[in-house]
Amino acid sequence: MAGSPFKHGMSVQQKLPPPEKGKIIDIGIDRIDGERQFLVAWTDAEGNEHTGWYKENEIEIAPEDPAPEPAAS
């Protein structure tokens, strides 16, 4: 099995629109087909927390959020 680009704690997002952006909180193997699965946790726009298992082809590495610019003095 080839190495995965996904690691525990990485920011990822669904490939399907609209993407839900969250963090990988667990990694597992599908017992039926042997594919890697990633448990992703995210908070929606209303502040509700969600989790979901995604196969490797259903997620992608999310772009990092830009750091806030320091306030002008």
Side-chain angles (χ1 to χ4, degrees):
M1 184 183 304
S4 174
F6 301 108
K7 306 292 181 234
H8 190 271
M10 282 184 129
S11 292
V12 294
Q13 64 187 17
Q14 285 179 279
K15 291 182 179 180
L16 303 172
E20 298 291 353
K21 186 175 178 182
K23 297 243 185 240
I24 294 173
I25 59 172
D26 198 4
I27 299 171
I29 301 291
D30 186 295
R31 293 177 191 217
I32 296 170
D33 61 21
E35 288 188 55
R36 280 185 286 257
Q37 293 186 323
F38 301 87
L39 182 60
V40 178
W42 71 93
T43 304
D44 66 21
E46 289 80 38
N48 300 311
E49 295 182 12
H50 302 275
T51 60
W53 284 98
Y54 297 94
K55 292 187 177 184
E56 197 160 359
N57 66 345
E58 297 174 325
I59 59 174
E60 61 190 4
I61 297 171
E64 291 296 321
D65 292 328
E69 294 188 23
S73 9

